[in-house]
Amino acid sequence: MSFEVWPEAIELGRLFADEGYELALVGGPVRDMLLHRRSHDLDFCTSARPEQFEPILRRWGRDGFWDMGRKFGTLGAMRRRADGTEVQVEVTTYRSDVYDPDSRKPEVSYGDTLEGDLSRRDFTVNAMALRVPDLEFVDPFGGANDLAKGVLRTPVDPRQSFDDDPLRMMRAVRFVAQLGFRIEPETAEAITDMVDRIGIVSAERVRDELVKMLLSDRPRAGIEALVESGLADIVFPEVPALQLEIDEHHRHKDVFEHTMIVIDRAVALETGPDGPVPAPDLTLRLAALMHDIGKPKTRRFEAGGKVSFHHHDAVGAKMTRKRLKALHFDHHVVDDVAELVNLHLRFHGYVDEPWTDSAVRRYVKDAGHLYERLNRLTRADATTQNRRKAMVFASAMDEMEQRVRDLKEKEDFDAIRPDLDGNEIMDLLGLEPGPMVGRAYKHMLEYRLDNGPVDHDTAVEELKRWYAAL
C-alpha cells in the first residue's frame, strides 16, 4: 500500500524517534489519504507524555504552539510553509479512557499501545494509523476494508461504543452525509436501541454535528439517516413529524418526501463563491429543512377530499425559532431562518396576479438581506410534477426578479426610507418625541413603498393630510 505523506509528518516522526518515542498519524488524515483527499490538519498519537514531547513540538512548530487540550494529553503546533500555507498538527498521548455513564466526558487515562488507542475511536474507518517516519500502516479493525465498502462500523461492540460516548451516534449520521457511507446493520440497530442516550449530550455538541451534516455534499442522506435511526425524534422532532399519515380519502403531498426534494433543489440553487448565496449556505439549508414544519399542526381535512394547512408559514416560523434556540444556534441564524420560513409563501400571490411596483418594493423591503435566499427557497419549494404549472411559476419568478433589477436601477432598495425623517416630522407637526412620531414615520414609509420616491413638497402634503385625518 503506497501513501503520499506530508513531509512535515515524516520530519516530526524523526524528531520523536530520535528521542525514543513512537508517533503515528491517526484518524481522519489517514482515512482521507486512502480516499485521495487532502486534510488541512494532522492528528497524531504518541507513546510520550505531554511533558516529554512538548519540547519537540515547540521546536517543530516554530510559528505557533497551543496547549488548551493539555488535560486530555493533547498539545498542538503550527508551521507556515514557504508558499504561505499552514500545517497544523495536534499530538495526543495514547489513551485508554474510562467513561462515566452519566457523562460523555472521559476520565483521561493514558494507554501504552497504538492498537489500544485505536480501539477507543468511533469507527473503524477512523481507527487506522500510519507510523512515522517508517510509514507502517496499522489497521487492527479492518478500517481499510470498510472504507472500500463504504461501511460505518465501530471497532468494538457498538453498544459499548455508544454507551461510552453517545455523540458517536450523531457522528455516524454525519458521516453518511459527508462520505456517502451506510451504517452497518448491527451498528444501526444499536443506534436505534440506544437513542435515549443522546440526552446526556449537550445541545451545542448536537448542533455542531447537525451543522456539519447540513453543510455536507449530501445533507438529504444525513437527514434521512437521522430520521431512520430514531435520533431525530429526540434532537429534531419536528422533522420526523413531517411523515404525515396520508388518508386514502384525502389528497396532499408526502410532506417529508417533499421536504427532502426541496433540500436537494435548494442546494442545487446555491451559487459559486462570488454569487449571492455561496455554497454551502447553512441558513438556506436550514430554511429548506424547516419551511413546512408548521404543516402537521395546521392540517385540516376539507370537503371534497382536500387538505389545508392554513397559516403553516407563521406557525412554522414560531416552531423554527423555538427549535433553533433549543439547539443554541446563534441568534442571527435563528432570526434569519425563522423569517425565511415565515416568508416562504409570500411570492405565490404573484403567480395569480402580477404585483404593482409598490408590492414588489414591499417584497424586497420585507425580505431585506434574505432576498436572494428567499427567492431560492421559493423556487426550490415549487415541486409540482405538472410541467405547465412549473413553467408558469418559473416564468413568474423570472419576471419578478427582472422587475426588481429594473426598479433597483431607479432607486436604492437597500436604503429605502420615508421621504421625511423623524426630525422633519416633529417640526412639521409640532410633536415631541413619542409614539405619535413613530406612527407618522411608519405611515410615511408605507407611502414611500406604495409610491416610490416623491419630491419634498408632496411628502409634506401627504404627512399633513394623514395627520389631519386622525
Side-chain angles (χ1 to χ4, degrees), residues 80-86:
R80 199 169 283 110
R81 295 189 180 113
D83 63 2
T85 58
E86 295 179 354

Side-chain angles (χ1 to χ4, degrees), residues 407-425:
L407 285 168
K408 281 187 173 182
E409 288 183 5
K410 302 174 186 174
E411 50 187 306
D412 183 0
F413 275 32
D414 296 330
I416 288 182
R417 300 286 185 275
D419 295 295
L420 302 172
D421 63 26
N423 289 327
E424 288 177 296
I425 289 171

Side-chain angles (χ1 to χ4, degrees), residues 3 97 139 225 232 235 239 269 274 278 291 314 317 341 360 381 393 396 408 422:
F3 297 98
D97 300 334
D139 182 17
V235 303
V239 175
L269 289 169
D274 298 326
H291 77 286
V341 173
V360 172
D381 191 30
F393 189 91
K408 281 187 173 182

Side-chain angles (χ1 to χ4, degrees), residues 429-451:
L429 300 182
L431 298 174
E432 296 294 326
M436 182 55 72
V437 179
R439 287 181 60 190
Y441 185 91
K442 183 179 180 182
H443 171 76
M444 294 308 296
L445 177 59
E446 296 290 322
Y447 182 78
R448 168 71 173 79
L449 289 168
D450 284 340
N451 298 279

Side-chain angles (χ1 to χ4, degrees), residues 188-346:
E189 183 181 345
I191 294 175
T192 300
D193 291 345
M194 299 179 69
V195 288
D196 288 345
R197 283 287 286 162
I198 203 70
I200 70 167
V201 180
S202 72
E204 290 86 354
R205 291 283 189 170
V206 170
R207 175 204 63 205
D208 290 347
E209 291 299 324
L210 287 170
V211 168
K212 291 173 184 174
M213 178 188 76
L214 286 170
L215 294 180
S216 72
D217 290 339
R218 308 167 190 83
R220 174 177 178 170
I223 295 160
E224 290 174 337
L226 191 74
V227 171
E228 288 167 11
S229 70
L231 284 166
D233 291 329
I234 296 173
V235 303
F236 218 135
E238 296 83 0
V239 175
L242 295 171
Q243 295 177 308
L244 295 175
E245 194 172 312
I246 300 177
D247 188 308
E248 62 178 310
H249 302 297
H250 295 93
R251 300 185 298 277
H252 67 80
K253 293 179 183 177
D254 179 328
V255 183
F256 179 78
E257 177 62 23
H258 164 75
T259 298
M260 296 303 98
I261 294 170
V262 173
I263 288 170
D264 281 342
R265 288 165 60 93
V267 169
L269 289 169
E270 291 172 341
T271 59
D274 298 326
V277 186
D281 188 84
L282 178 63
T283 300
L284 177 60
R285 295 182 183 202
L286 275 170
L289 175 62
M290 306 184 80
H291 77 286
D292 273 348
I293 63 171
K295 280 191 170 180
K297 280 193 173 183
T298 59
R299 182 169 65 161
R300 299 289 181 272
F301 296 120
E302 310 286 355
K306 292 187 177 181
V307 179
S308 68
F309 301 97
H310 295 308
H311 308 299
H312 78 269
D313 44 352
V315 171
K318 290 180 181 178
M319 294 171 64
T320 295
R321 188 174 294 278
K322 183 177 180 180
R323 175 53 52 197
L324 296 186
K325 281 185 176 179
L327 288 166
H328 294 191
F329 276 88
D330 291 340
H331 67 88
H332 67 86
V333 174
V334 176
D335 291 344
D336 286 352
V337 177
E339 186 63 2
L340 284 171
V341 173
N342 187 49
L343 293 173
H344 81 274
L345 296 180
R346 182 74 171 272

Side-chain angles (χ1 to χ4, degrees), residues 352-369:
D352 300 326
E353 184 178 347
W355 295 335
T356 62
D357 284 352
S358 65
V360 172
R361 288 191 195 94
R362 287 175 187 278
Y363 178 85
V364 178
K365 180 69 173 175
D366 290 347
H369 68 283

